Amino acid sequence: MTENKEQPTYQLREMKAELGLLTKSDGSAMFAQGKTTVLANVNGPVEVSLQNMNIEKAFVEVYYRPKSGLPSVDDRFMEKFVKQSIEVALYSELHPRTSYRIQLQELENRGGVLACAVNTVSLALLNSGLEQKYLVAAVYCAVNEEGEIHVDPDLRKDQVTQAQMTFVFDSLMTKAVAVHTEGTFTMEQYKKAMDLCRSASEKVFEFYRDIIKKTSVLL
């Protein structure tokens, strides 16, 4: 009975991506998980302002634009989370006194937009050719009112959940490099959610490899 309950929780929404869409950037990607879709472009290393200059490494700038309206406090948080997630993976010390500029545009949000944003930037960085120590992949899950954990569900903004969690893993040891949680949950649910999302992240890394292979063939 336990196996039947957990079986659906591993299923990820269909992933689609297109690389190199924007010709005026060093790297770009559009990535969709289900209907949740984000567009990202990367430029760098480029000139950095004096206030952000670092003599030891490049400064990472992340800008996020919502689908409509002006950026909110939540959007500012998304910028910080994406920066935290990808900054650790970059060899930014190779380009001191410069900046990496990353711009994100939300096209559609049907749940998991934070994870989708991280994955879109990962693909845009791959397309840019910037040096990275490893790749990162994000997976989100939701805990419903019955306490069941579902990985990467398709959610409406008004849909009620007990908790939502986003985990970011590296491609070397699938260690968690960033975590964001909302709502109430038990420690047991947290550990189970992390294990489920870690397993699901392998599918995201596999998707990265497939899309890069396809892009290379087309080139």
Side-chain angles (χ1 to χ4, degrees):
M1 291 179 66
T2 302
E3 291 181 0
N4 289 336
K5 271 189 176 181
E6 293 186 353
Q7 188 68 26
T9 62
Y10 288 93
Q11 185 174 354
L12 292 175
R13 293 175 291 177
E14 182 183 9
M15 292 179 281
K16 297 179 181 178
E18 192 169 347
L19 307 186
L21 288 170
L22 306 176
T23 57
K24 293 185 178 180
S25 64
D26 294 321
S28 61
M30 183 170 65
F31 178 63
Q33 294 183 241
K35 292 183 179 179
T36 300
T37 309
V38 176
L39 175 67
N41 72 81
V42 175
N43 285 290
V46 296
E47 187 177 349
V48 65
S49 62
L50 286 175
Q51 64 181 12
N52 292 328
M53 183 179 292
N54 190 320
I55 62 172
E56 296 181 351
K57 61 182 182 179
F59 181 76
V60 179
E61 304 174 74
V62 178
Y63 303 97
Y64 184 88
R65 290 187 294 175
K67 182 179 178 180
S68 59
L70 297 173
S72 64
V73 173
D74 288 342
D75 297 323
R76 295 287 82 87
F77 165 76
M78 290 190 67
E79 292 174 350
K80 292 180 181 179
F81 187 83
V82 171
K83 177 177 177 176
Q84 176 189 351
S85 299
I86 58 95
E87 193 170 25
V88 293
L90 290 167
Y91 276 115
S92 54
E93 61 270 21
L94 296 177
H95 303 285
R97 299 184 178 87
T98 66
S99 173
Y100 300 152
R101 292 177 186 163
I102 299 168
Q103 294 183 313
L104 289 154
Q105 173 66 61
E106 174 191 319
L107 301 179
E108 189 64 47
N109 181 9
R110 283 293 296 269
V113 70
L114 184 57
C116 187
V118 172
N119 296 338
T120 308
V121 172
S122 289
L123 287 169
L125 286 169
L126 277 171
N127 184 241
S128 74
L130 281 172
E131 302 88 346
Q132 299 180 76
K133 302 165 190 171
Y134 48 77
L135 305 179
V136 296
V139 180
Y140 101 105
C141 65
V143 183
N144 65 19
E145 293 179 314
E146 287 73 41
E148 298 170 326
I149 300 170
H150 295 275
V151 174
D152 198 36
D154 187 76
L155 296 176
R156 302 183 305 273
K157 286 187 177 181
D158 60 348
Q159 196 164 340
V160 177
T161 58
Q162 181 177 306
Q164 293 188 39
M165 309 178 201
T166 299
F167 299 92
V168 184
F169 302 96
D170 68 52
S171 59
L172 297 178
M173 304 292 291
T174 59
K175 291 174 60 176
V177 298
V179 179
H180 174 63
T181 63
E182 297 178 25
T184 58
F185 49 87
T186 65
M187 184 54 66
E188 181 182 354
Q189 288 172 327
Y190 177 84
K191 291 179 179 177
K192 183 178 178 181
M194 179 178 282
D195 288 341
L196 289 171
C197 288
R198 178 179 284 110
S199 296
S201 72
E202 297 288 356
K203 295 292 184 183
V204 182
F205 287 126
E206 184 180 331
F207 177 82
Y208 289 173
R209 291 190 289 269
D210 289 344
I211 197 69
I212 290 299
K213 285 179 183 177
K214 290 177 182 176
T215 304
S216 299
V217 170
L218 290 174
L219 292 174

